[in-house]
Amino acid sequence: MLKIQIIIVFLFISFFSIHIVLSQLNFQKLDLPLTSSGPEAFAFDSINSVSGEFYTGISDGRIVKYNTTNFIEVYITAPNRSRLCDGTNMLGAICGRPIGIEFYYKEKLLYIADAYKGLLVGGKDKLAVQLATGAEGVPFKFPDGLNVDQLTGDVYFTDASSVFEMSQLPLAVLVNDATGRLLKYSKTTQQVSVLLRGLAGAAGVAISSDASFVLVTEFITKRIQKLWLTGPLAFTSTVIKEFEGRPDNIKKTQIGDYFWVAVSTMSPIGITISSAVKIDGNGVVLQTIPLDRYYFNTAISEFNQRGSNFYVGSLQAGFVGLLN
């Protein structure tokens, strides 16, 4: 009886604390330029950056920087891209479609997973340099999530499917496609290796602080796998968390091995309910923040925390959501 009472009190405190957090947050819409949409993911050019500046890839193929006032173009991923692409949503193969992005802080290099152009890196020039378009003889079909090991400069990224392109995602979900991969680009050898195969909608990826493990979300099978990189379990994987909804990007917090997962769940009446779920490295849920009041019937792609700011991405929105 005492155990039940303790559990009830714990659940009450957890529920109350979540709503205290929400009541203290203000929500802003940072409108994207022109008629572009889909700020899938975010990058920051310093590990301790809390200035309010950030980078994101948008539907017309550009990577833009928000300088706390407006968005400015900084990179493109397609060599033949023209101004005809601006504001377009349907010409990814021509204009490029940057999805996962993150800086290697030591060298100020922005690594990019582009759904149509592969793995690229942005440096001093506006046109990003293409690094790879396939791995072990299999071309990329839908590069998606990306995370940089800040200790080595190696890049961990996903190819959501080896069969279906980004525009064919609904079909991939319908047939339960399981041809996705978790990949690693070695900064030293400049080669891409396959770490995991047979993933169903490989989406977000996040490496631990000490690079001992990496987490990868599977959008189609609604789960997270943990792949050990060191120790006695090195290069073995296990499912650590299953969701009712579909997890997309997963981002580590600035302090500790805690991770925010963007999750979108379909309600019984067909309404998409989005939330941010905080877990530890073993998949234990620490906090859930409902976001449907800001994203009604809209799936979110990323929930990224920097200091007291929370950045919310969505492939379906024409703005970046900012909670602070």
Side-chain angles (χ1 to χ4, degrees), residues 95-305:
C95 304
R97 183 47 171 111
I99 302 291
I101 58 174
E102 186 166 296
F103 274 93
Y104 177 40
Y105 304 125
K106 182 179 179 181
E107 298 184 11
K108 296 292 185 182
L109 298 174
L110 182 67
Y111 285 96
I112 306 157
D114 186 290
Y116 295 93
K117 303 301 179 182
L119 179 68
L120 305 96
V121 64
K124 296 180 180 179
D125 298 324
K126 179 174 288 188
L127 177 62
V129 177
Q130 191 176 67
L131 299 176
T133 57
E136 299 182 1
V138 180
F140 302 146
K141 204 68 175 180
F142 182 2
D144 194 348
L146 181 148
N147 191 207
V148 180
D149 181 353
Q150 297 298 333
L151 300 175
T152 64
D154 294 340
V155 181
Y156 293 80
F157 64 107
T158 58
D159 190 17
S161 172
S162 297
V163 177
F164 298 98
E165 295 182 346
M166 182 179 181
S167 62
Q168 301 170 310
L169 179 58
L171 181 57
V173 173
L174 181 65
V175 301
N176 292 314
D177 175 67
T179 61
R181 298 177 292 174
L182 173 63
L183 307 148
K184 174 185 175 182
Y185 170 80
S186 169
K187 191 172 186 302
T188 301
T189 67
Q190 299 182 351
Q191 299 297 311
V192 177
S193 57
V194 180
L195 301 180
L196 282 178
R197 295 178 174 82
L199 300 178
V205 56
I207 190 170
S208 65
S209 299
D210 62 357
S212 63
F213 66 85
V214 61
L215 303 182
V216 57
T217 63
E218 292 182 88
F219 183 83
I220 294 176
T221 47
K222 306 177 182 179
R223 65 186 189 179
I224 295 176
Q225 285 203 52
K226 179 178 185 176
L227 173 68
W228 291 98
L229 300 175
T230 61
L233 297 177
F235 300 106
T236 63
S237 64
T238 184
V239 175
I240 62 166
K241 177 62 182 173
E242 294 182 335
F243 296 92
E244 181 181 346
R246 300 189 187 281
D248 200 338
N249 286 349
I250 177 170
K251 305 303 294 187
K252 197 180 80 63
T253 57
Q254 287 174 279
I255 300 174
D257 281 327
Y258 304 106
F259 306 85
W260 283 109
V261 188
V263 182
S264 300
T265 306
M266 187 68 69
S267 75
I269 59 173
I271 299 296
T272 299
I273 300 174
S274 292
S275 60
V277 180
K278 189 177 184 179
I279 65 171
D280 65 14
N282 295 314
V284 176
V285 174
L286 305 174
Q287 187 177 14
T288 299
I289 299 181
L291 297 169
D292 49 298
R293 71 173 68 178
Y294 313 117
Y295 289 85
F296 177 72
N297 197 26
T298 302
I300 66 167
S301 56
E302 181 165 301
F303 190 81
N304 200 324
Q305 181 179 2

Side-chain angles (χ1 to χ4, degrees), residues 54-56 62-66 71-77 101 103 110 112 122-128:
F54 63 86
Y55 299 71
T56 188
R62 292 180 293 166
I63 294 172
V64 293
K65 177 182 179 179
Y66 184 72
F71 288 94
I72 57 173
E73 177 183 310
V74 289
Y75 291 115
I76 59 174
T77 57
I101 58 174
F103 274 93
L110 182 67
I112 306 157
K124 296 180 180 179
D125 298 324
K126 179 174 288 188
L127 177 62

Side-chain angles (χ1 to χ4, degrees), residues 60 80-89 91 94-95:
D60 62 12
N80 297 319
R81 188 187 188 283
S82 71
R83 287 298 175 185
L84 295 176
C85 294
D86 291 356
T88 311
N89 295 323
L91 300 175
I94 297 173
C95 304

